Amino acid sequence: MAAAALAQVPTTADARLIVPLDVPTAGEARAMVAAIGDAVSFYKVGLELFATDGMALARELKAQGKQVFLDWKLHDIPTTVQRAAAAIAQSGCDFITVHGEPQVMAAAVRGRGASSLKILAVTVLTSLADEDLAEMGYAETARALVERRIHQAIAAGCDGVIASPHEAALARALGGRDFLVVTPGVRPDWSAKNDQARAATPLDALKAGASHIVCGRPITAANDPHAAALRVAAEMAQAG
Ligand code: C5P
């Protein structure tokens, strides 16, 4: 890296950068968090870790002063979702995802009550193409359903949505300034794309309206995850 670029590398975490701990065991997740050190302050714990000891890990991360995003995509009858959201709120975790159906979103918002837990709606899974939606009985395209569900998330009192970089501008426009727009599918120019076919750079995702980016393998698979995270943060800092 050139000296001028090195001078811009921040030495602290960017609170808008979320790193997913996509590993099977809490032990591997702890090792990753230790390798990243103070370069990241926000971690995502998904279903893979949930199936082992993800909640214990989440509590440990909170005790270390980190922010925690539980990506569990709740989807059940309203009473169950409401109770689950209330229990998650008690844990002190920061973000939880729910499927973007009106009943589910409203129940999660009721469940978190006055806590600081943020409810994020998953509008349409990016694995679903228009043909898949037709097979499931939806008459809309994925794009139209995303837009409908952003409106419904706002109406239900959700704090934000998960959006691809290509949907971030729409979510920001509909949700307004304080709406959370959390964007996976982010790849710096210098990293492998892996299976993220339509990735955007960290800077472009923020410029498009993301409030937070989820960026995993460019950091977690790097030889030096700490340095890679600071490099991503340096790029994010250019967005202001
Ligand atoms: O390593 P990578 O940056 O691709 O990790 C992205 C994370 O965001 C993973 O945890 C993945 O499951 C999640 N995600 C995604 N695309 C979506 C929704 C979630 O990549 N549409």
Side-chain angles (χ1 to χ4, degrees):
M1 210 184 295
L6 270 178
Q8 293 167 9
V9 173
T11 53
T12 55
D14 188 315
R16 300 170 295 181
L17 171 60
I18 303 174
V19 170
L21 294 169
D22 292 325
V23 290
T25 67
E28 286 161 273
R30 281 185 202 105
M32 181 53 63
V33 171
I36 293 172
D38 59 5
V40 168
S41 60
F42 210 148
Y43 286 99
K44 179 166 94 71
V45 176
L47 284 179
E48 188 180 2
L49 268 176
F50 175 64
T52 54
D53 40 11
M55 202 60 220
L57 176 76
R59 290 180 200 280
E60 276 174 46
L61 291 171
K62 287 305 298 177
Q64 293 169 22
K66 306 288 189 193
Q67 289 191 278
V68 176
F69 167 10
L70 300 177
D71 188 10
W72 293 352
K73 300 183 179 68
L74 303 182
H75 189 199
D76 209 319
I77 61 170
T79 302
T80 303
V81 170
Q82 183 173 335
R83 288 177 180 168
I88 292 163
Q90 288 285 320
S91 75
C93 287
D94 300 281
F95 290 179
I96 180 75
T97 42
V98 303
H99 278 273
E101 292 178 10
Q103 277 196 331
V104 174
M105 296 189 288
V109 170
R110 282 196 301 277
R112 67 94 184 269
S115 75
S116 59
L117 177 67
K118 304 295 185 202
I119 309 293
L120 302 177
V122 176
T123 54
V124 178
L125 294 170
T126 49
S127 53
L128 295 174
D130 290 347
E131 309 81 81
D132 300 308
L133 291 174
E135 190 183 5
M136 292 160 70
Y138 289 93
E140 287 169 308
T141 62
R143 178 77 184 182
L145 189 54
V146 165
E147 184 164 348
R148 172 200 293 273
R149 286 187 166 173
I150 295 172
H151 283 295
Q152 290 172 331
I154 295 163
C158 286
D159 301 282
V161 293
I162 307 298
S164 79
H166 306 279
E167 297 157 352
L170 175 67
R172 172 64 54 223
L174 296 178
R177 206 189 56 180
D178 296 332
F179 201 55
L180 297 174
V181 179
V182 179
T183 302
V186 172
R187 288 290 180 271
D189 285 335
W190 44 266
S191 72
K193 298 286 171 282
N194 312 113
D195 46 6
Q196 298 287 7
R198 298 193 307 134
T201 67
L203 181 59
D204 286 344
L206 291 177
K207 281 184 177 167
S211 61
H212 297 76
I213 62 166
V214 176
C215 184
R217 285 162 289 179
I219 295 169
T220 57
N223 288 335
D224 183 344
H226 179 261
L230 290 181
R231 203 170 164 190
V232 172
E235 185 175 332
M236 294 172 72
Q238 293 173 43

PDB file of all heavy atoms in Angstrom, residues 66-84:
ATOM      1  N   LYS A  66     -18.824  -5.631  22.693  1.00  0.00           N
ATOM      2  CA  LYS A  66     -19.111  -5.656  21.262  1.00  0.00           C
ATOM      3  C   LYS A  66     -20.619  -5.495  21.026  1.00  0.00           C
ATOM      4  O   LYS A  66     -21.434  -5.738  21.928  1.00  0.00           O
ATOM      5  CB  LYS A  66     -18.689  -6.992  20.642  1.00  0.00           C
ATOM      6  CG  LYS A  66     -17.250  -7.389  20.905  1.00  0.00           C
ATOM      7  CD  LYS A  66     -16.272  -6.557  20.133  1.00  0.00           C
ATOM      8  CE  LYS A  66     -14.852  -7.128  20.265  1.00  0.00           C
ATOM      9  NZ  LYS A  66     -13.843  -6.157  19.785  1.00  0.00           N
ATOM     10  N   GLN A  67     -20.978  -5.140  19.799  1.00  0.00           N
ATOM     11  CA  GLN A  67     -22.380  -5.177  19.396  1.00  0.00           C
ATOM     12  C   GLN A  67     -22.638  -6.504  18.697  1.00  0.00           C
ATOM     13  O   GLN A  67     -21.728  -7.057  18.046  1.00  0.00           O
ATOM     14  CB  GLN A  67     -22.705  -4.003  18.473  1.00  0.00           C
ATOM     15  CG  GLN A  67     -22.723  -2.673  19.231  1.00  0.00           C
ATOM     16  CD  GLN A  67     -23.297  -1.573  18.361  1.00  0.00           C
ATOM     17  OE1 GLN A  67     -22.599  -0.997  17.541  1.00  0.00           O
ATOM     18  NE2 GLN A  67     -24.566  -1.289  18.534  1.00  0.00           N
ATOM     19  N   VAL A  68     -23.866  -7.005  18.853  1.00  0.00           N
ATOM     20  CA  VAL A  68     -24.178  -8.337  18.326  1.00  0.00           C
ATOM     21  C   VAL A  68     -25.469  -8.295  17.512  1.00  0.00           C
ATOM     22  O   VAL A  68     -26.500  -7.797  17.968  1.00  0.00           O
ATOM     23  CB  VAL A  68     -24.315  -9.363  19.466  1.00  0.00           C
ATOM     24  CG1 VAL A  68     -24.727 -10.723  18.911  1.00  0.00           C
ATOM     25  CG2 VAL A  68     -22.987  -9.498  20.218  1.00  0.00           C
ATOM     26  N   PHE A  69     -25.362  -8.836  16.320  1.00  0.00           N
ATOM     27  CA  PHE A  69     -26.489  -8.958  15.380  1.00  0.00           C
ATOM     28  C   PHE A  69     -26.822 -10.450  15.304  1.00  0.00           C
ATOM     29  O   PHE A  69     -26.019 -11.254  14.826  1.00  0.00           O
ATOM     30  CB  PHE A  69     -26.015  -8.389  14.042  1.00  0.00           C
ATOM     31  CG  PHE A  69     -26.866  -8.672  12.825  1.00  0.00           C
ATOM     32  CD1 PHE A  69     -28.129  -9.237  12.888  1.00  0.00           C
ATOM     33  CD2 PHE A  69     -26.375  -8.321  11.575  1.00  0.00           C
ATOM     34  CE1 PHE A  69     -28.878  -9.480  11.744  1.00  0.00           C
ATOM     35  CE2 PHE A  69     -27.120  -8.553  10.412  1.00  0.00           C
ATOM     36  CZ  PHE A  69     -28.359  -9.136  10.515  1.00  0.00           C
ATOM     37  N   LEU A  70     -27.989 -10.835  15.806  1.00  0.00           N
ATOM     38  CA  LEU A  70     -28.442 -12.227  15.713  1.00  0.00           C
ATOM     39  C   LEU A  70     -29.229 -12.380  14.417  1.00  0.00           C
ATOM     40  O   LEU A  70     -30.321 -11.825  14.273  1.00  0.00           O
ATOM     41  CB  LEU A  70     -29.330 -12.578  16.914  1.00  0.00           C
ATOM     42  CG  LEU A  70     -28.669 -12.457  18.297  1.00  0.00           C
ATOM     43  CD1 LEU A  70     -29.694 -12.769  19.387  1.00  0.00           C
ATOM     44  CD2 LEU A  70     -27.455 -13.359  18.421  1.00  0.00           C
ATOM     45  N   ASP A  71     -28.667 -13.122  13.481  1.00  0.00           N
ATOM     46  CA  ASP A  71     -29.318 -13.275  12.173  1.00  0.00           C
ATOM     47  C   ASP A  71     -30.077 -14.598  12.159  1.00  0.00           C
ATOM     48  O   ASP A  71     -29.648 -15.571  11.549  1.00  0.00           O
ATOM     49  CB  ASP A  71     -28.258 -13.226  11.060  1.00  0.00           C
ATOM     50  CG  ASP A  71     -28.888 -13.175   9.675  1.00  0.00           C
ATOM     51  OD1 ASP A  71     -30.116 -12.981   9.573  1.00  0.00           O
ATOM     52  OD2 ASP A  71     -28.150 -13.341   8.691  1.00  0.00           O
ATOM     53  N   TRP A  72     -31.207 -14.607  12.856  1.00  0.00           N
ATOM     54  CA  TRP A  72     -31.955 -15.846  13.020  1.00  0.00           C
ATOM     55  C   TRP A  72     -33.225 -15.889  12.176  1.00  0.00           C
ATOM     56  O   TRP A  72     -33.923 -16.894  12.177  1.00  0.00           O
ATOM     57  CB  TRP A  72     -32.297 -16.062  14.499  1.00  0.00           C
ATOM     58  CG  TRP A  72     -31.091 -16.307  15.324  1.00  0.00           C
ATOM     59  CD1 TRP A  72     -29.812 -16.495  14.874  1.00  0.00           C
ATOM     60  CD2 TRP A  72     -31.033 -16.368  16.750  1.00  0.00           C
ATOM     61  NE1 TRP A  72     -28.966 -16.669  15.943  1.00  0.00           N
ATOM     62  CE2 TRP A  72     -29.688 -16.605  17.106  1.00  0.00           C
ATOM     63  CE3 TRP A  72     -31.993 -16.242  17.763  1.00  0.00           C
ATOM     64  CZ2 TRP A  72     -29.275 -16.720  18.423  1.00  0.00           C
ATOM     65  CZ3 TRP A  72     -31.568 -16.362  19.076  1.00  0.00           C
ATOM     66  CH2 TRP A  72     -30.238 -16.596  19.395  1.00  0.00           C
ATOM     67  N   LYS A  73     -33.576 -14.804  11.549  1.00  0.00           N
ATOM     68  CA  LYS A  73     -34.725 -14.758  10.630  1.00  0.00           C
ATOM     69  C   LYS A  73     -35.957 -15.427  11.248  1.00  0.00           C
ATOM     70  O   LYS A  73     -36.465 -16.438  10.742  1.00  0.00           O
ATOM     71  CB  LYS A  73     -34.365 -15.405   9.291  1.00  0.00           C
ATOM     72  CG  LYS A  73     -33.198 -14.702   8.592  1.00  0.00           C
ATOM     73  CD  LYS A  73     -32.898 -15.297   7.235  1.00  0.00           C
ATOM     74  CE  LYS A  73     -31.754 -14.600   6.527  1.00  0.00           C
ATOM     75  NZ  LYS A  73     -30.434 -14.783   7.141  1.00  0.00           N
ATOM     76  N   LEU A  74     -36.448 -14.854  12.333  1.00  0.00           N
ATOM     77  CA  LEU A  74     -37.611 -15.426  13.029  1.00  0.00           C
ATOM     78  C   LEU A  74     -38.821 -15.485  12.091  1.00  0.00           C
ATOM     79  O   LEU A  74     -39.071 -14.549  11.326  1.00  0.00           O
ATOM     80  CB  LEU A  74     -37.969 -14.573  14.252  1.00  0.00           C
ATOM     81  CG  LEU A  74     -36.884 -14.353  15.298  1.00  0.00           C
ATOM     82  CD1 LEU A  74     -37.437 -13.518  16.457  1.00  0.00           C
ATOM     83  CD2 LEU A  74     -36.321 -15.673  15.804  1.00  0.00           C
ATOM     84  N   HIS A  75     -39.552 -16.585  12.177  1.00  0.00           N
ATOM     85  CA  HIS A  75     -40.739 -16.758  11.334  1.00  0.00           C
ATOM     86  C   HIS A  75     -41.617 -17.812  11.994  1.00  0.00           C
ATOM     87  O   HIS A  75     -41.340 -19.014  11.903  1.00  0.00           O
ATOM     88  CB  HIS A  75     -40.328 -17.206   9.933  1.00  0.00           C
ATOM     89  CG  HIS A  75     -41.449 -17.200   8.945  1.00  0.00           C
ATOM     90  ND1 HIS A  75     -41.405 -17.905   7.776  1.00  0.00           N
ATOM     91  CD2 HIS A  75     -42.635 -16.569   8.947  1.00  0.00           C
ATOM     92  CE1 HIS A  75     -42.524 -17.711   7.096  1.00  0.00           C
ATOM     93  NE2 HIS A  75     -43.285 -16.904   7.794  1.00  0.00           N
ATOM     94  N   ASP A  76     -42.677 -17.361  12.688  1.00  0.00           N
ATOM     95  CA  ASP A  76     -43.532 -18.314  13.405  1.00  0.00           C
ATOM     96  C   ASP A  76     -44.860 -17.616  13.682  1.00  0.00           C
ATOM     97  O   ASP A  76     -45.079 -16.486  13.227  1.00  0.00           O
ATOM     98  CB  ASP A  76     -42.825 -18.757  14.699  1.00  0.00           C
ATOM     99  CG  ASP A  76     -43.225 -20.172  15.122  1.00  0.00           C
ATOM    100  OD1 ASP A  76     -44.433 -20.496  15.019  1.00  0.00           O
ATOM    101  OD2 ASP A  76     -42.352 -20.939  15.558  1.00  0.00           O
ATOM    102  N   ILE A  77     -45.730 -18.257  14.451  1.00  0.00           N
ATOM    103  CA  ILE A  77     -46.988 -17.590  14.800  1.00  0.00           C
ATOM    104  C   ILE A  77     -46.657 -16.384  15.694  1.00  0.00           C
ATOM    105  O   ILE A  77     -45.631 -16.362  16.373  1.00  0.00           O
ATOM    106  CB  ILE A  77     -47.974 -18.551  15.501  1.00  0.00           C
ATOM    107  CG1 ILE A  77     -47.387 -19.091  16.810  1.00  0.00           C
ATOM    108  CG2 ILE A  77     -48.383 -19.680  14.561  1.00  0.00           C
ATOM    109  CD1 ILE A  77     -48.402 -19.848  17.661  1.00  0.00           C
ATOM    110  N   PRO A  78     -47.541 -15.367  15.670  1.00  0.00           N
ATOM    111  CA  PRO A  78     -47.206 -14.123  16.383  1.00  0.00           C
ATOM    112  C   PRO A  78     -46.839 -14.306  17.848  1.00  0.00           C
ATOM    113  O   PRO A  78     -45.880 -13.691  18.334  1.00  0.00           O
ATOM    114  CB  PRO A  78     -48.492 -13.286  16.214  1.00  0.00           C
ATOM    115  CG  PRO A  78     -49.040 -13.743  14.898  1.00  0.00           C
ATOM    116  CD  PRO A  78     -48.761 -15.217  14.847  1.00  0.00           C
ATOM    117  N   THR A  79     -47.547 -15.164  18.586  1.00  0.00           N
ATOM    118  CA  THR A  79     -47.234 -15.322  20.015  1.00  0.00           C
ATOM    119  C   THR A  79     -45.804 -15.804  20.206  1.00  0.00           C
ATOM    120  O   THR A  79     -45.066 -15.307  21.071  1.00  0.00           O
ATOM    121  CB  THR A  79     -48.206 -16.337  20.654  1.00  0.00           C
ATOM    122  OG1 THR A  79     -49.527 -15.861  20.453  1.00  0.00           O
ATOM    123  CG2 THR A  79     -47.939 -16.487  22.138  1.00  0.00           C
ATOM    124  N   THR A  80     -45.400 -16.754  19.378  1.00  0.00           N
ATOM    125  CA  THR A  80     -44.045 -17.308  19.508  1.00  0.00           C
ATOM    126  C   THR A  80     -42.991 -16.271  19.142  1.00  0.00           C
ATOM    127  O   THR A  80     -41.968 -16.134  19.830  1.00  0.00           O
ATOM    128  CB  THR A  80     -43.920 -18.566  18.628  1.00  0.00           C
ATOM    129  OG1 THR A  80     -44.926 -19.487  19.033  1.00  0.00           O
ATOM    130  CG2 THR A  80     -42.563 -19.217  18.767  1.00  0.00           C
ATOM    131  N   VAL A  81     -43.238 -15.540  18.062  1.00  0.00           N
ATOM    132  CA  VAL A  81     -42.268 -14.513  17.653  1.00  0.00           C
ATOM    133  C   VAL A  81     -42.173 -13.426  18.728  1.00  0.00           C
ATOM    134  O   VAL A  81     -41.077 -12.971  19.086  1.00  0.00           O
ATOM    135  CB  VAL A  81     -42.676 -13.911  16.285  1.00  0.00           C
ATOM    136  CG1 VAL A  81     -41.823 -12.689  15.959  1.00  0.00           C
ATOM    137  CG2 VAL A  81     -42.530 -14.954  15.185  1.00  0.00           C
ATOM    138  N   GLN A  82     -43.328 -13.048  19.271  1.00  0.00           N
ATOM    139  CA  GLN A  82     -43.329 -12.000  20.305  1.00  0.00           C
ATOM    140  C   GLN A  82     -42.515 -12.443  21.524  1.00  0.00           C
ATOM    141  O   GLN A  82     -41.694 -11.695  22.050  1.00  0.00           O
ATOM    142  CB  GLN A  82     -44.769 -11.680  20.711  1.00  0.00           C
ATOM    143  CG  GLN A  82     -44.879 -10.556  21.727  1.00  0.00           C
ATOM    144  CD  GLN A  82     -46.319 -10.130  21.985  1.00  0.00           C
ATOM    145  OE1 GLN A  82     -47.199 -10.312  21.126  1.00  0.00           O
ATOM    146  NE2 GLN A  82     -46.571  -9.572  23.142  1.00  0.00           N
ATOM    147  N   ARG A  83     -42.724 -13.679  21.957  1.00  0.00           N
ATOM    148  CA  ARG A  83     -41.994 -14.176  23.130  1.00  0.00           C
ATOM    149  C   ARG A  83     -40.501 -14.317  22.840  1.00  0.00           C
ATOM    150  O   ARG A  83     -39.662 -14.045  23.697  1.00  0.00           O
ATOM    151  CB  ARG A  83     -42.577 -15.516  23.581  1.00  0.00           C
ATOM    152  CG  ARG A  83     -43.941 -15.345  24.221  1.00  0.00           C
ATOM    153  CD  ARG A  83     -44.518 -16.680  24.600  1.00  0.00           C
ATOM    154  NE  ARG A  83     -45.828 -16.531  25.212  1.00  0.00           N
ATOM    155  CZ  ARG A  83     -46.666 -17.534  25.440  1.00  0.00           C
ATOM    156  NH1 ARG A  83     -46.342 -18.759  25.088  1.00  0.00           N
ATOM    157  NH2 ARG A  83     -47.828 -17.311  26.001  1.00  0.00           N
ATOM    158  N   ALA A  84     -40.188 -14.783  21.632  1.00  0.00           N
ATOM    159  CA  ALA A  84     -38.770 -14.923  21.270  1.00  0.00           C
ATOM    160  C   ALA A  84     -38.088 -13.556  21.251  1.00  0.00           C
ATOM    161  O   ALA A  84     -36.977 -13.393  21.768  1.00  0.00           O
ATOM    162  CB  ALA A  84     -38.642 -15.604  19.907  1.00  0.00           C
TER     163      ALA A  84
END
